[in-house]
């Protein structure tokens, strides 16, 4: 899985002197939400806590009412981002 942050070199001027160091910056990637093989949305996010992100997003969007509404969850890393592939139980899958 991709790192949620990376270190970059930096220079800083402090107290009349230049110093080198590193700075940690968050990394974001495209995260797709797929239900029953149908793409629903893509959001930019750090690649961390993706199970929680999938559940929270699904509840907020009204797709499921609770964690039991998601039957399966696969986290697939693709070259351009991450696909959160979720399976819904019947009759939710048919209604979706």
């Amino acid at each position: 899985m991709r790192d949620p942050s990376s270190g970059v070199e930096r220079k800083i001027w402090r107290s009349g002197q230049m110093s080198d160091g590193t700075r940690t910056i968050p990394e974001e990637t495209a995260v797709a939400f797929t239900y029953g093989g149908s793409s629903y949305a893509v959001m930019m996010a750090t690649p961390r806590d993706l199970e929680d992100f999938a559940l929270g997003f699904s509840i907020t969007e009204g797709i499921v009412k609770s964690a039991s509404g998601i039957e399966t969850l696969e986290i697939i890393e693709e070259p351009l981002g991450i696909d959160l592939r979720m399976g819904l139980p019947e009759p939710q899958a048919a209604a979706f």
Side-chain angles (χ1 to χ4, degrees):
M1 196 59 61
R2 299 167 197 212
D3 288 329
S5 63
S6 64
V8 295
E9 292 183 30
R10 60 108 175 118
K11 294 188 181 292
I12 190 169
W13 183 264
R14 195 172 278 162
S15 300
Q17 293 184 352
M18 182 73 75
S19 67
D20 295 328
T22 60
R23 175 173 285 179
T24 302
I25 58 170
E27 292 289 336
E28 287 192 333
T29 191
V31 177
F33 296 85
T34 304
Y35 300 92
S38 296
S39 180
Y40 183 79
V42 177
M43 299 183 74
M44 296 300 290
T46 56
R48 190 156 204 174
D49 300 322
L50 293 171
E51 295 90 352
D52 292 337
F53 190 30
L55 176 59
F57 180 86
S58 299
I59 291 171
T60 301
E61 288 294 304
I63 296 167
V64 298
K65 293 185 189 316
S66 68
S68 63
I70 297 176
E71 199 167 70
T72 60
L73 170 61
E74 290 181 88
I75 299 173
I76 309 296
E77 191 164 1
E78 303 281 358
L80 297 177
I82 297 171
D83 190 4
L84 303 178
R85 295 181 187 170
M86 290 167 270
L88 304 175
E90 292 298 335
Q92 287 170 302
F96 182 74

